[in-house]
Amino acid sequence: MRRTPARLAAAEPEPAHTIEFDGRPIPALPGQTIAAALWAQGIMAWRRTRGTGRPRGAFCGIGACFDCLATVDGRPNQRTCLLPAEPGTTVTTQEGNGHADLAV
Amino acid sequence: MPTSPSDRRPYDLAVIGAGPAGLRGAVTAADQGLRCVLLDAGARPGGQYYRHPAPGLHAARPDRLHHHWSAFTELADRLAEHRAAGLIDYLPHHHVHLLERREPWRLHAATGADGAGRATLTADAVLLATGAYERQLPFPGWTLPGVVTAGGAQAMLKAGLVLPGRRVVVAGSGPLLLAAAASLSAAGAEVPAIVEAGNYLGYARRPEVLAANPGKLVEAVTHGAALARHLVRLRRSSAVIEAHGATDDPAVAGSVRVAAVTVARLDRDWRPVPGTERRIACDAVAIGHGLVPQLELATELGAEVREVPDGTLALRVDHRQRTTVPGLWAAGETCGVGGAELAAAEGELAALAIADRPPTAGALSARRRLRGFAELMAAAHRPGPGWPGWLRPETEVCRCEEVTAGQIEEAVGELGATDARSVKLLTRAGMGWCQGRMCGPAVACLSGAAEPVADRRPFSCPVRLGDLAALPED
């Protein structure tokens, strides 16, 4: 029997719901953060930096580093390691400061 | 979303942080009849140490992700009793960003999972139990996706039951690496190596301290047994000196993720020894160099600090856990990183002092014994002065502002910067979203500052101008 986090904690989660990441449906378990749901799918980057446009994702996992920022439900700069993935949450890869629409 | 009782009479005590120190402090104070408010940035009590799966994940065995889980469940039960009796108001998702020194104290918090709400509370006394975050030392490639902090890997596993990859190299320095490697392995990740920069032989210099802490040895042996079972190899006096990326998703332009690391032996000063490099394939790296006490709410008020043997700063407290700021007590990692058991003992001592009750003998002896171990541990994992030897000019040091080692070197060597603050003004290193938490220790070291200086952050998380404008003016 392969070891998994869920087996280790003897977890029997409620059925997964769906969030959207860059237009793709992604399953998320109730109570998981957005970052956790993305990690579960092997997605490790959901932001591009302001300066060099390099990919970033969750780093510290506890809300201190702000590397995991993304645009969530249209609002940029949301810490995905803290925000719960709610059914229907839409996450889009954030380009730079996420305020390109302001054209400043 | 709990509403904040902003307009009620002041609490007897506000406890900031619901980890081991804050929980024990709050329930002990309530035992003595004090009306307490317990504020915590997280969604559930327990802090980082006792982070546990969300209820919807229905984890029947959260204890398997933890040491001493029963210590937490006992505290959680006592918290529930005091909440039911109306002695403790527990406010999750309340990140206190400003502690205003008045009579009574005024605490300002950002509320909600997204920090978008705000609340203000008042209390006659404050117990600071804000814990710590991880210390990072940059290396080439550390900003690649798949490189995460050791504590972050732990946090995401404990709360979300997810792994950062299938094959995870655990690296840095300090006992958290052993815990992270053990839990990652138990959860199904392959851990090809734990790469420890320090040398655990440092612990052997004080046999009397080790002998007084059999529990810590048992913990080490437990980790050791788990690691041996999963065939995890500990490489001492070694460091990951580079992470290498590879294309992650060919369909996405610029998509990259860590694919291997280069590990090298270190000399006594942590300088990489040429010719000892080895490449290890992996799809994730979990790194960390011990913990940094989170002090800004107190240092903003001028609280005195002391230097810990690992080079971090901690609050200076007296035998009753009083800081040098009247009416402000501190417990746990804020007084120097020492683990959950020590934090709980100090939380109890602080609460008894605040309630004007004598200390308990058990908590006093636990504090004495465990503080000794904490100082020994800190000394064994102090970063050596040669670690910048693995940086390159293009290595990003400040992740938020993308400031490179070369830019910092220029600020110090050519522009006359002498400390982290002047480097910040010249390069923007430490000016980003994280307020210098990730790069602060590294920048301070690269700036050549002789003494560590306490972080000064007027607010302990980013606060919107509108929220500041809305603060009462009286």
Side-chain angles (χ1 to χ4, degrees), chain B residues 356-448:
Chain B
D356 216 10
R357 300 283 196 283
T360 46
L364 282 175
S365 81
R367 179 178 63 183
R368 192 170 44 246
R369 180 171 57 78
L370 293 158
R371 263 289 153 227
F373 185 83
E375 301 290 302
L376 176 69
M377 182 180 80
H381 298 286
R382 186 186 182 106
W387 72 263
W390 63 61
L391 297 176
R392 297 203 193 111
E394 69 276 15
T395 307
E396 282 168 342
V397 174
C398 169
R399 299 172 67 94
C400 298
E401 296 295 313
E402 301 172 87
V403 180
T404 62
Q407 288 168 293
I408 292 171
E409 199 177 337
E410 182 190 28
V412 174
E414 293 173 35
L415 303 176
T418 52
D419 60 6
R421 192 172 168 277
S422 43
V423 169
K424 175 162 88 173
L425 295 174
L426 291 164
T427 66
R428 297 190 59 86
M431 230 182 244
W433 274 102
C434 86
Q435 303 170 283
R437 285 182 177 87
M438 293 302 118
C439 69
V443 172
C445 179
L446 295 172
S447 71

Side-chain angles (χ1 to χ4, degrees), chain A residues 58-95:
Chain A
F59 181 61
C60 83
I62 63 169
C65 79
F66 292 82
D67 250 343
C68 70
L69 299 178
T71 299
V72 177
D73 293 332
R75 292 166 60 216
N77 300 311
Q78 300 300 304
R79 281 179 285 177
T80 54
C81 79
L82 300 182
L83 278 184
E86 307 284 2
T89 296
T90 58
V91 184
T92 37
T93 292
Q94 180 173 321
E95 301 292 338

Side-chain angles (χ1 to χ4, degrees), chain A residues 3 8 14 49 51-52 67, chain B residues 58 61 64 152 185 253 399 402:
Chain A
R3 295 192 309 273
L8 174 65
E14 289 162 23
T49 58
T52 54
D67 250 343
Chain B
H58 294 290
R61 298 293 308 273
R64 290 195 194 139
S185 308
R399 299 172 67 94
E402 301 172 87

